[in-house]
Amino acid sequence: MRRTLTVAAAAAALLVSAGPLPVAEAGGAATAAAGRWGAHEAESFWTPERMASARPLPPGPPEAPVARQAPVVPPPPATPGTPVAPVPPVPVPPPPAAAPSSSPTPTVTTSEPAPTPTPTPTPVTLPAPDPAPAPAPAPGPARPTLPRIPAAGPGVGQDFGGLPVVGRMFLVKGGGSYFCTASVVASPGRNLVISAAHCLLGADTQQVAFVPQYTRAKPRPFGMFPVVRTAAGRSKIWIDQRYRTQGVNRAAALDVAFAQVGPGPKGRRVQDAVGGNRLVTGAGYAHARATLIGHPSTAARPRLCVNRTTKYTSGDARIPGSFLRIACTGYPGGTSGGPFLLRLDGRTGTGDVVGVIGGWKTGGDKPDVSYSSYFGADVRKLYEKAVAGAKAP
């Protein structure tokens, strides 16, 4: 949904998006949408072949003119609680001016009144550390086996075997099969994932499921975790109401979504199966060492990169706000929703999530520079809404 599409290419994508992409068999999607959507139904629908042929989401219809939209107030910057030691700077090229991004049709979201901005003096980590996982119905490894994390210079992206806590979020939209990147975020219910809001907008978004550590060679190493549906058949996804009403440009500072996923095929909750990153808000924009993970559309495995982050304040009145920015090579479409992680622990494969690829131009217009909405008070409140709405039975 992000990156290098020209206006002509974007229009072409809209015309042909349902053509070469796999379309649900007659009655398949409708039947699944109307009936049960559990792990076994998700795995029956999302076959390895369908997952392999899924594509990043194409651009949606154009947004309404800026003059007809109310401005969004970007979250205020916060002062980090702990100073970060400097590292040699890595140049980050300024983004070129471009036409406004496209806006998908809104999906099921939670509504949130616009709060009065208040400064966040110190970082807030949510939830409190959990000393031990809750008992699981089915046996499984206490800690997933981690692949080797590649070592490379700052800003150099490399494909690797992935982390269990990060994976692909698959969905059907307009008859086509698509994906973004998502990751598990620690929560009391042990059942939440985080991604970009622009990935999950749309009333026609169906068959949504999260697959941890997806690779083409091992498409379901931990099984599939379906996004839970309400009794009315709506996916339990939390997106700030202002993002839905104002669109991906005017509300770019709010490009974050949480989703509740159900148990996997063995009955385990996702956080029990693969762990979870800690959500940190109010940590500031500049970090000496952040790890970026995403699933590129052109690769059979995910990509990892380490570099410093900087603050980018948009000079485009159509896309107001300040964002995290990181220079990392090779993050094209499909990487939207991928986490910005601090203090990644090579033993547990988890860290502190302070951003997801999205925000300015839904993550950027070049594959070598990525952005995130700032994780401040608005994201913390959205997370709290998701926790309250996703309590485990």
Side-chain angles (χ1 to χ4, degrees):
M1 187 132 179
R2 52 171 297 179
R3 309 305 184 204
T4 56
L5 287 174
T6 63
V7 174
L14 287 172
L15 292 174
V16 304
S17 61
L21 298 177
V23 178
E25 294 83 354
T31 301
R36 173 177 166 79
W37 182 244
H40 296 293
E41 290 77 18
E43 289 192 350
S44 295
F45 182 85
W46 288 108
T47 62
E49 295 75 20
R50 178 171 277 144
M51 287 191 286
S53 60
R55 296 291 181 265
L57 283 165
E63 290 186 297
V66 172
R68 298 174 59 186
Q69 296 176 336
V72 61
V73 179
T79 303
T82 304
V84 182
V87 296
V90 176
V92 180
S101 301
S102 54
S103 172
T105 304
T107 189
V108 180
T109 62
T110 60
S111 299
E112 182 176 352
T116 301
T118 55
T120 306
T122 56
V124 178
T125 302
L126 300 170
D130 191 349
R143 181 176 295 116
T145 302
L146 301 178
R148 184 184 67 85
I149 297 178
V156 178
Q158 289 189 323
D159 293 347
F160 77 125
L163 294 178
V165 77
V166 183
R168 283 191 179 188
M169 183 76 91
F170 290 95
L171 56 103
V172 167
K173 196 177 187 65
S177 299
Y178 302 101
F179 74 90
C180 279
T181 303
S183 57
V184 183
V185 60
S187 69
R190 312 181 72 80
N191 57 1
L192 288 181
V193 297
I194 186 172
S195 189
H198 73 263
C199 290
L200 296 172
L201 283 172
D204 60 339
T205 300
Q206 300 177 349
Q207 282 73 53
V208 191
F210 174 66
V211 183
Q213 202 175 356
Y214 171 90
T215 64
R216 198 167 298 167
K218 295 181 179 179
R220 290 195 298 238
F222 297 95
M224 186 167 284
F225 296 82
V227 170
V228 173
R229 292 174 177 169
T230 66
R234 297 179 176 179
S235 297
K236 297 190 72 173
I237 296 168
W238 288 266
I239 297 172
D240 193 294
Q241 179 70 6
R242 292 166 291 178
Y243 193 83
R244 181 176 67 85
T245 57
Q246 297 176 17
V248 301
N249 282 336
R250 295 297 296 173
L254 302 169
D255 192 2
V256 181
F258 295 95
Q260 178 185 353
V261 296
K266 295 183 179 180
R268 304 188 75 199
R269 291 175 290 182
V270 68
Q271 191 176 330
D272 293 326
V274 301
N277 295 316
R278 296 161 297 279
L279 179 71
V280 176
T281 61
Y285 297 85
H287 302 287
R289 181 182 176 85
T291 301
L292 188 68
I293 299 176
H295 281 263
S297 58
T298 54
R301 301 189 299 164
R303 172 158 285 225
L304 178 145
C305 170
V306 177
N307 205 352
R308 68 188 183 101
T309 64
T310 59
K311 181 179 181 179
Y312 171 72
T313 299
S314 174
D316 189 339
R318 298 167 298 182
I319 316 175
S322 294
F323 307 87
L324 274 71
R325 177 170 64 181
I326 189 170
C328 276
T329 59
Y331 284 75
T335 58
S336 285
F340 286 59
L341 297 176
L342 304 183
R343 294 173 284 276
L344 177 61
D345 188 330
R347 183 179 61 90
T348 65
T350 63
D352 297 338
V353 58
V354 295
V356 294
I357 296 177
W360 191 80
K361 296 192 176 180
T362 60
D365 56 358
K366 292 183 178 181
D368 296 339
V369 182
S370 298
Y371 299 81
S372 170
S373 300
Y374 178 67
F375 278 22
D378 289 320
V379 172
R380 184 170 71 250
K381 290 178 181 179
L382 187 65
Y383 169 82
E384 290 168 353
K385 278 181 171 288
V387 166
K391 291 180 180 178

